[in-house]
Amino acid sequence: MNAPLPRALLVTGLLLAVVNVLFAGTQYGFASLPAWFWLSQLLLIPAMLGPLRLFPQAMSARTYLPRAGLFALGFAAPYAVTQFTERALSPAFSAGQTLFNVVFFCGLMGLFFAAVWKPRAGGQ
């Protein structure tokens, strides 16, 4: 595995954390964000380790549905962290609704990326 992929995924995780904090801060106020919210953004670092192995496998999968499933699984952990941590700030938080949204969105993204990314004919 080459070095740019882990670095890119960690930078992406950092950017996701920054965007999540910006959205939550503008909606609820930066001063009112609890300490657990700030610390939970660190969960994006291990959440980005899943795509480290899943995305290369997805990019080399020949058939559409397995490729879509691997892409969806790659998106699942980081997206779940951002969604659950931000939505848990709301008094109307529903874990079931958030889980449904995560599964639905990741499924759509997996189908989209599998349609856009087709493996090369000559190998990887």
Side-chain angles (χ1 to χ4, degrees):
M1 185 163 313
N2 53 11
L5 185 61
R7 189 175 330 131
L9 288 174
L10 290 176
V11 167
T12 303
L14 178 65
L15 289 174
L16 283 172
V18 168
V19 168
N20 198 31
V21 167
L22 287 175
F23 283 156
T26 55
Q27 185 172 1
Y28 299 105
F30 290 99
S32 66
L33 293 177
W36 66 262
F37 176 80
W38 293 95
L39 292 173
S40 67
Q41 300 310 303
L42 295 174
L43 290 172
L44 283 166
I45 294 170
M48 293 305 289
L49 295 178
L52 184 67
R53 293 180 53 191
L54 289 172
F55 284 153
Q57 289 176 357
M59 287 188 245
S60 64
R62 292 276 172 222
T63 55
Y64 179 75
L65 284 179
R67 191 169 59 243
L70 288 169
F71 274 122
L73 285 174
F75 290 118
Y79 188 67
V81 168
T82 59
Q83 288 300 294
F84 275 96
T85 56
E86 183 181 356
R87 291 183 182 201
L89 295 169
S90 171
F93 172 67
S94 168
Q97 180 69 31
T98 303
L99 181 61
F100 175 79
N101 289 342
V102 167
V103 170
F104 182 76
F105 179 78
C106 289
L108 282 179
M109 290 301 290
L111 292 171
F112 173 75
F113 272 82
V116 171
W117 181 272
K118 295 182 175 96
R120 294 183 198 125
Q124 290 185 2

